Amino acid sequence: MEKKKLFAGIIVFGSLWGFAECILGPILDNAGLPSGALMTSIFAIGLMMISRMLYKKHGMQLGMGIVAGALRMFNPFGGCVICSAIAIAAEGLIFELIWYYLSLDLRELKSYTMKISMGFISAYFCYVGGYITTQILTPLVVSANFYIMNLIVFIPQILSRGLLAAFIGGITVPLVLILKDFNINSIKDKLYYSTAAAVSILCWIFIITNAVLLISS
Amino acid sequence: MKKKKLIPAVVLIILLIGSVSSLYVYATQSDELTISINGQKYTVDQLFFIAELRSIDSLNISGIALDDLIQKVCILPKHHEYTIVGADGYQKTVEWENMENGILTYEKIVVFSDLPKSFRVKNVVKIEVI
């Protein structure tokens, strides 16, 4: 696959992820739902899994995390902006590390036990790892002090909350794998690039406009 | 073959860790109605009577000023650090400069105008002076 096509894929899937985090995350949060676990296990894991399956390239999910985190920075509403951006980028990196040792054609994931297990593991580690990373890095980014004890005493809560994300992740991955046989290269270049550009631009314009409107109101 | 055994085993380990953590969280969760400040227990009403009110206009939140509260409750010098602890165990340690920009709302939420939202602590049960 040519690099240009992969780059377009990173931008479009990262933008969709960032869009979901900016728009749906606060809606779930305001509804009193566990938005962090839901966003990680459904949108983050779902989109990273789809991109893994379609493009079969290492490094793509890390790139998506960086794009989604950058988009999250443009939306100053709904939760902690810096923490969310750091957690999103960290989730991309953690997913990449977990799936590094699995084949790119996902031949290991034939049985449902393996599909559910990988979804469970990915969602749990992405949620827990993202949470811990943001607790460490956010104080450093905002020039506040980081106190290790603050994190240690809260670790049981984080490990406990991760279970919800893990169970949902165990459903998300097998569902995404239904689309396994779709070949991204079968899409004509013209249609591929125009769709990727349109979706990415729409996501970014929507988020930036939404932020500007909220600030000015 | 190795992966086929290793991956489900990791799932079982996660289940075990998650379950034990959930039990620990459940067993240690506090449902205190008072807030302990430097070892002394106060109700929210008492604290709102003692300390002066402060609003954070940008966030549209009001409550009592944390720096004023500390001075009136503890009469401590400024060169300390303060750990705000929530009922769920979530805690954040801040400096006096942050306390000068912090409030405690009637709903027992501590908010700092100069720190990100991750520094908010909900359902505060304790403020420790370090």
Side-chain angles (χ1 to χ4, degrees):
Chain A
M1 179 181 290
E2 37 179 316
K3 280 185 179 171
K4 208 165 74 174
K5 208 165 195 172
L6 180 66
F7 185 71
I10 291 172
I11 300 289
V12 73
F13 278 98
S15 300
L16 283 170
W17 181 4
F19 180 82
E21 291 278 355
C22 293
I23 304 299
L24 294 172
I27 293 172
L28 294 172
D29 206 29
N30 290 338
L33 295 167
S35 58
L38 291 173
M39 292 309 298
T40 299
S41 56
I42 299 172
F43 293 96
I45 295 296
L47 287 167
M48 285 194 284
M49 197 60 221
I50 291 171
S51 66
R52 187 81 178 183
M53 212 171 59
L54 296 180
Y55 293 85
K56 300 176 179 67
K57 289 281 176 193
H58 289 298
M60 185 178 182
Q61 288 71 43
L62 174 60
M64 281 171 61
I66 292 167
V67 172
L71 187 52
R72 184 67 185 86
M73 292 292 286
F74 277 91
N75 185 44
F77 302 97
C80 177
V81 177
I82 297 164
C83 340
S84 304
I86 292 171
I88 291 166
E91 283 173 7
L93 176 65
I94 293 163
F95 187 94
E96 200 72 63
L97 293 172
I98 293 170
W99 288 79
Y100 186 80
Y101 294 101
L102 260 76
S103 60
L104 286 165
D105 61 4
L106 308 173
R107 62 177 171 271
E108 295 96 338
L109 303 186
K110 279 179 185 156
S111 71
Y112 269 98
T113 307
M114 288 296 281
K115 289 174 188 173
I116 293 167
S117 297
M118 279 311 290
F120 191 94
I121 292 169
S122 306
Y124 190 79
F125 282 113
C126 282
Y127 180 85
V128 170
Y131 206 131
I132 292 173
T133 307
T134 198
Q135 289 294 317
I136 296 169
L137 294 184
T138 303
L140 304 177
V141 171
V142 298
S143 305
N145 290 334
F146 167 66
Y147 298 87
I148 187 76
M149 276 313 290
N150 288 353
L151 177 62
I152 290 171
V153 296
F154 200 60
I155 288 281
Q157 273 278 358
I158 302 172
L159 295 175
S160 164
R161 289 181 192 177
L163 271 187
L164 175 65
F167 281 115
I168 302 170
I171 300 168
T172 305
V173 168
L175 283 178
V176 169
L177 285 168
I178 293 171
L179 305 165
K180 200 179 167 193
D181 295 328
F182 183 77
N183 182 8
I184 195 82
N185 290 317
S186 65
I187 302 173
K188 286 183 180 169
D189 279 2
K190 200 177 171 184
L191 178 66
Y192 175 84
Y193 287 115
S194 55
T195 309
V199 171
S200 305
I201 290 167
L202 271 175
C203 288
W204 282 80
I205 287 178
F206 191 93
I207 297 301
I208 293 169
T209 311
N210 185 44
V212 170
L213 287 174
L214 283 168
I215 289 169
S216 59
S217 62
Chain B
M1 193 63 189
K2 269 184 181 177
K3 286 174 193 168
K4 277 184 183 173
K5 284 181 181 171
L6 178 71
I7 290 169
V10 173
V11 171
L12 289 176
I13 293 167
I14 290 173
L15 273 173
L16 186 69
I17 292 170
S19 305
V20 171
S21 301
S22 300
L23 285 172
Y24 174 81
V25 167
Y26 182 76
T28 57
Q29 206 151 33
S30 162
D31 52 357
E32 288 271 326
L33 294 171
T34 55
I35 296 175
S36 167
I37 304 176
N38 206 22
Q40 283 286 110
K41 288 188 174 182
Y42 303 89
T43 65
V44 178
D45 287 325
Q46 282 175 322
L47 295 176
F48 267 72
F49 183 73
I50 297 168
E52 68 179 38
L53 293 174
R54 175 184 288 159
S55 294
I56 302 176
D57 294 335
S58 57
L59 301 169
N60 202 17
I61 303 174
S62 59
I64 47 172
L66 284 177
D67 52 341
D68 187 57
L69 175 68
I70 291 297
Q71 281 172 336
K72 285 181 177 159
V73 168
C74 310
I75 323 168
L76 287 162
K78 295 176 180 179
H79 302 292
H80 281 288
E81 284 171 342
Y82 301 87
T83 301
I84 322 289
V85 185
D88 60 358
Y90 191 75
Q91 65 176 53
K92 285 289 167 193
T93 304
V94 296
E95 294 174 350
W96 180 253
E97 291 74 36
N98 307 120
M99 295 293 271
E100 288 178 319
N101 295 302
I103 60 166
L104 170 71
T105 71
Y106 198 76
E107 294 76 29
K108 299 208 290 181
I109 303 170
V110 160
V111 180
F112 299 97
S113 61
D114 61 334
L115 291 171
K117 284 184 183 172
S118 65
F119 278 81
R120 285 186 189 185
V121 180
K122 292 174 185 171
N123 203 3
V124 174
V125 290
K126 199 192 290 181
I127 299 176
E128 288 173 350
V129 183
I130 305 167

Short mmCIF file of all heavy atoms in Angstrom, two decimals, chain B residues 21-53:
data_model
loop_
_atom_site.label_atom_id
_atom_site.label_comp_id
_atom_site.label_asym_id
_atom_site.label_seq_id
_atom_site.Cartn_x
_atom_site.Cartn_y
_atom_site.Cartn_z
N SER B 21 -9.86 -5.67 42.76
CA SER B 21 -9.87 -4.20 42.88
C SER B 21 -11.27 -3.69 43.19
O SER B 21 -11.45 -2.80 44.01
CB SER B 21 -9.37 -3.56 41.59
OG SER B 21 -8.08 -3.98 41.30
N SER B 22 -12.27 -4.26 42.51
CA SER B 22 -13.66 -3.84 42.74
C SER B 22 -14.07 -4.11 44.19
O SER B 22 -14.71 -3.28 44.83
CB SER B 22 -14.62 -4.57 41.80
OG SER B 22 -14.28 -4.28 40.48
N LEU B 23 -13.69 -5.28 44.69
CA LEU B 23 -14.01 -5.62 46.09
C LEU B 23 -13.33 -4.66 47.06
O LEU B 23 -13.93 -4.18 48.01
CB LEU B 23 -13.57 -7.06 46.40
CG LEU B 23 -14.44 -8.17 45.84
CD1 LEU B 23 -13.79 -9.53 46.05
CD2 LEU B 23 -15.82 -8.15 46.49
N TYR B 24 -12.06 -4.35 46.75
CA TYR B 24 -11.30 -3.43 47.60
C TYR B 24 -11.96 -2.04 47.60
O TYR B 24 -12.14 -1.42 48.65
CB TYR B 24 -9.85 -3.33 47.10
CG TYR B 24 -9.03 -2.30 47.83
CD1 TYR B 24 -8.44 -2.58 49.06
CD2 TYR B 24 -8.84 -1.03 47.28
CE1 TYR B 24 -7.71 -1.63 49.73
CE2 TYR B 24 -8.10 -0.07 47.95
CZ TYR B 24 -7.54 -0.37 49.17
OH TYR B 24 -6.81 0.58 49.84
N VAL B 25 -12.34 -1.58 46.41
CA VAL B 25 -12.96 -0.25 46.28
C VAL B 25 -14.28 -0.22 47.05
O VAL B 25 -14.56 0.72 47.79
CB VAL B 25 -13.20 0.07 44.77
CG1 VAL B 25 -14.12 1.28 44.61
CG2 VAL B 25 -11.88 0.32 44.06
N TYR B 26 -15.06 -1.28 46.90
CA TYR B 26 -16.35 -1.36 47.59
C TYR B 26 -16.16 -1.35 49.11
O TYR B 26 -16.88 -0.68 49.83
CB TYR B 26 -17.09 -2.63 47.15
CG TYR B 26 -18.46 -2.76 47.77
CD1 TYR B 26 -19.53 -1.98 47.32
CD2 TYR B 26 -18.69 -3.65 48.82
CE1 TYR B 26 -20.79 -2.08 47.89
CE2 TYR B 26 -19.95 -3.77 49.40
CZ TYR B 26 -20.99 -2.99 48.93
OH TYR B 26 -22.23 -3.09 49.51
N ALA B 27 -15.16 -2.10 49.56
CA ALA B 27 -14.94 -2.22 51.01
C ALA B 27 -14.39 -0.94 51.63
O ALA B 27 -14.64 -0.66 52.80
CB ALA B 27 -13.97 -3.38 51.28
N THR B 28 -13.64 -0.18 50.84
CA THR B 28 -12.98 1.01 51.43
C THR B 28 -13.70 2.31 51.11
O THR B 28 -13.28 3.37 51.58
CB THR B 28 -11.53 1.13 50.91
OG1 THR B 28 -11.56 1.17 49.48
CG2 THR B 28 -10.67 -0.02 51.38
N GLN B 29 -14.78 2.24 50.33
CA GLN B 29 -15.48 3.47 49.95
C GLN B 29 -16.09 4.14 51.18
O GLN B 29 -16.69 3.48 52.03
CB GLN B 29 -16.58 3.16 48.94
CG GLN B 29 -16.88 4.35 48.06
CD GLN B 29 -17.38 3.92 46.69
OE1 GLN B 29 -18.04 2.90 46.56
NE2 GLN B 29 -17.06 4.69 45.68
N SER B 30 -15.92 5.45 51.21
CA SER B 30 -16.41 6.21 52.37
C SER B 30 -17.70 6.93 52.02
O SER B 30 -17.85 7.43 50.91
CB SER B 30 -15.33 7.22 52.79
OG SER B 30 -15.89 8.21 53.58
N ASP B 31 -18.65 6.93 52.95
CA ASP B 31 -19.86 7.70 52.69
C ASP B 31 -20.06 8.75 53.80
O ASP B 31 -21.15 8.95 54.32
CB ASP B 31 -21.09 6.78 52.56
CG ASP B 31 -21.23 5.84 53.74
OD1 ASP B 31 -20.36 5.86 54.61
OD2 ASP B 31 -22.24 5.10 53.78
N GLU B 32 -18.95 9.35 54.17
CA GLU B 32 -18.93 10.37 55.22
C GLU B 32 -19.78 11.58 54.83
O GLU B 32 -19.76 12.01 53.68
CB GLU B 32 -17.50 10.83 55.45
CG GLU B 32 -16.63 9.83 56.15
CD GLU B 32 -16.70 9.95 57.66
OE1 GLU B 32 -16.85 11.08 58.15
OE2 GLU B 32 -16.62 8.92 58.34
N LEU B 33 -20.49 12.12 55.78
CA LEU B 33 -21.25 13.34 55.53
C LEU B 33 -20.41 14.57 55.90
O LEU B 33 -20.72 15.69 55.49
CB LEU B 33 -22.56 13.34 56.33
CG LEU B 33 -23.57 12.27 55.91
CD1 LEU B 33 -24.73 12.21 56.89
CD2 LEU B 33 -24.11 12.55 54.51
N THR B 34 -19.36 14.34 56.66
CA THR B 34 -18.51 15.47 57.08
C THR B 34 -17.23 15.51 56.24
O THR B 34 -16.91 14.55 55.54
CB THR B 34 -18.13 15.32 58.56
OG1 THR B 34 -17.52 14.03 58.72
CG2 THR B 34 -19.34 15.44 59.46
N ILE B 35 -16.54 16.64 56.35
CA ILE B 35 -15.24 16.77 55.68
C ILE B 35 -14.19 16.95 56.77
O ILE B 35 -14.34 17.82 57.65
CB ILE B 35 -15.23 17.98 54.72
CG1 ILE B 35 -16.24 17.76 53.59
CG2 ILE B 35 -13.83 18.21 54.14
CD1 ILE B 35 -16.39 18.94 52.64
N SER B 36 -13.16 16.12 56.72
CA SER B 36 -12.10 16.21 57.72
C SER B 36 -11.00 17.14 57.20
O SER B 36 -10.45 16.90 56.12
CB SER B 36 -11.55 14.80 57.98
OG SER B 36 -10.35 14.88 58.68
N ILE B 37 -10.71 18.19 57.96
CA ILE B 37 -9.63 19.11 57.57
C ILE B 37 -8.59 19.10 58.66
O ILE B 37 -8.87 19.47 59.81
CB ILE B 37 -10.17 20.54 57.33
CG1 ILE B 37 -11.28 20.53 56.29
CG2 ILE B 37 -9.03 21.48 56.91
CD1 ILE B 37 -11.94 21.87 56.06
N ASN B 38 -7.41 18.61 58.29
CA ASN B 38 -6.30 18.50 59.23
C ASN B 38 -6.71 17.75 60.51
O ASN B 38 -6.37 18.12 61.62
CB ASN B 38 -5.77 19.90 59.58
CG ASN B 38 -4.30 19.84 59.99
OD1 ASN B 38 -3.59 18.90 59.65
ND2 ASN B 38 -3.87 20.84 60.75
N GLY B 39 -7.54 16.72 60.33
CA GLY B 39 -7.94 15.86 61.45
C GLY B 39 -9.23 16.26 62.14
O GLY B 39 -9.80 15.48 62.90
N GLN B 40 -9.72 17.47 61.87
CA GLN B 40 -10.95 17.94 62.49
C GLN B 40 -12.12 17.76 61.53
O GLN B 40 -11.99 18.08 60.34
CB GLN B 40 -10.83 19.43 62.82
CG GLN B 40 -10.01 19.73 64.06
CD GLN B 40 -10.76 19.38 65.35
OE1 GLN B 40 -10.39 18.42 66.00
NE2 GLN B 40 -11.79 20.10 65.68
N LYS B 41 -13.27 17.28 62.05
CA LYS B 41 -14.40 17.04 61.16
C LYS B 41 -15.39 18.21 61.18
O LYS B 41 -15.70 18.75 62.24
CB LYS B 41 -15.12 15.75 61.56
CG LYS B 41 -14.30 14.52 61.20
CD LYS B 41 -15.09 13.25 61.40
CE LYS B 41 -14.29 12.05 60.90
NZ LYS B 41 -15.00 10.81 61.01
N TYR B 42 -15.86 18.58 59.97
CA TYR B 42 -16.81 19.69 59.84
C TYR B 42 -17.92 19.27 58.88
O TYR B 42 -17.67 18.53 57.92
CB TYR B 42 -16.13 20.93 59.25
CG TYR B 42 -14.94 21.42 60.04
CD1 TYR B 42 -13.66 20.92 59.77
CD2 TYR B 42 -15.08 22.38 61.03
CE1 TYR B 42 -12.56 21.37 60.49
CE2 TYR B 42 -13.99 22.83 61.75
CZ TYR B 42 -12.72 22.32 61.47
OH TYR B 42 -11.64 22.75 62.17
N THR B 43 -19.10 19.83 59.09
CA THR B 43 -20.16 19.63 58.09
C THR B 43 -19.99 20.72 57.04
O THR B 43 -19.32 21.73 57.28
CB THR B 43 -21.56 19.76 58.72
OG1 THR B 43 -21.73 21.10 59.18
CG2 THR B 43 -21.75 18.78 59.86
N VAL B 44 -20.62 20.53 55.89
CA VAL B 44 -20.52 21.53 54.82
C VAL B 44 -21.12 22.85 55.28
O VAL B 44 -20.58 23.92 55.00
CB VAL B 44 -21.21 21.01 53.54
CG1 VAL B 44 -21.16 22.06 52.43
CG2 VAL B 44 -20.55 19.74 53.04
N ASP B 45 -22.22 22.76 56.01
CA ASP B 45 -22.86 23.99 56.51
C ASP B 45 -21.92 24.77 57.42
O ASP B 45 -21.84 25.99 57.34
CB ASP B 45 -24.15 23.62 57.27
CG ASP B 45 -25.25 23.21 56.32
OD1 ASP B 45 -25.31 23.77 55.21
OD2 ASP B 45 -26.03 22.31 56.67
N GLN B 46 -21.20 24.05 58.28
CA GLN B 46 -20.24 24.72 59.17
C GLN B 46 -19.16 25.43 58.36
O GLN B 46 -18.82 26.58 58.64
CB GLN B 46 -19.57 23.69 60.10
CG GLN B 46 -20.45 23.26 61.26
CD GLN B 46 -19.79 22.14 62.09
OE1 GLN B 46 -19.14 21.25 61.53
NE2 GLN B 46 -19.97 22.21 63.39
N LEU B 47 -18.66 24.74 57.35
CA LEU B 47 -17.59 25.31 56.53
C LEU B 47 -18.09 26.55 55.77
O LEU B 47 -17.37 27.54 55.64
CB LEU B 47 -17.04 24.27 55.54
CG LEU B 47 -16.34 23.06 56.19
CD1 LEU B 47 -15.92 22.06 55.14
CD2 LEU B 47 -15.12 23.51 56.99
N PHE B 48 -19.33 26.49 55.28
CA PHE B 48 -19.89 27.63 54.56
C PHE B 48 -20.15 28.81 55.50
O PHE B 48 -20.20 29.95 55.08
CB PHE B 48 -21.17 27.22 53.80
CG PHE B 48 -20.89 26.80 52.39
CD1 PHE B 48 -20.26 25.60 52.11
CD2 PHE B 48 -21.23 27.63 51.33
CE1 PHE B 48 -19.97 25.22 50.81
CE2 PHE B 48 -20.95 27.25 50.02
CZ PHE B 48 -20.32 26.04 49.76
N PHE B 49 -20.32 28.52 56.78
CA PHE B 49 -20.51 29.58 57.77
C PHE B 49 -19.16 30.24 58.10
O PHE B 49 -19.08 31.45 58.30
CB PHE B 49 -21.14 28.97 59.03
CG PHE B 49 -21.45 29.98 60.09
CD1 PHE B 49 -22.50 30.87 59.95
CD2 PHE B 49 -20.67 30.05 61.23
CE1 PHE B 49 -22.77 31.82 60.93
CE2 PHE B 49 -20.93 31.00 62.22
CZ PHE B 49 -21.98 31.88 62.07
N ILE B 50 -18.12 29.41 58.11
CA ILE B 50 -16.79 29.90 58.53
C ILE B 50 -16.11 30.74 57.44
O ILE B 50 -15.63 31.84 57.70
CB ILE B 50 -15.86 28.69 58.86
CG1 ILE B 50 -16.40 27.88 60.04
CG2 ILE B 50 -14.44 29.16 59.16
CD1 ILE B 50 -15.70 26.53 60.22
N ALA B 51 -16.09 30.20 56.22
CA ALA B 51 -15.23 30.80 55.19
C ALA B 51 -15.99 31.73 54.26
O ALA B 51 -17.21 31.62 54.12
CB ALA B 51 -14.57 29.68 54.39
N GLU B 52 -15.23 32.60 53.59
CA GLU B 52 -15.85 33.56 52.67
C GLU B 52 -16.17 32.91 51.32
O GLU B 52 -15.52 31.94 50.92
CB GLU B 52 -14.96 34.78 52.47
CG GLU B 52 -13.67 34.47 51.72
CD GLU B 52 -12.81 35.73 51.52
OE1 GLU B 52 -12.77 36.56 52.44
OE2 GLU B 52 -12.20 35.82 50.45
N LEU B 53 -17.15 33.46 50.65
CA LEU B 53 -17.58 32.89 49.36
C LEU B 53 -16.68 33.38 48.24
O LEU B 53 -16.12 34.47 48.31
CB LEU B 53 -19.03 33.29 49.07
CG LEU B 53 -20.09 32.71 50.00
CD1 LEU B 53 -21.45 33.30 49.68
CD2 LEU B 53 -20.16 31.19 49.89
#
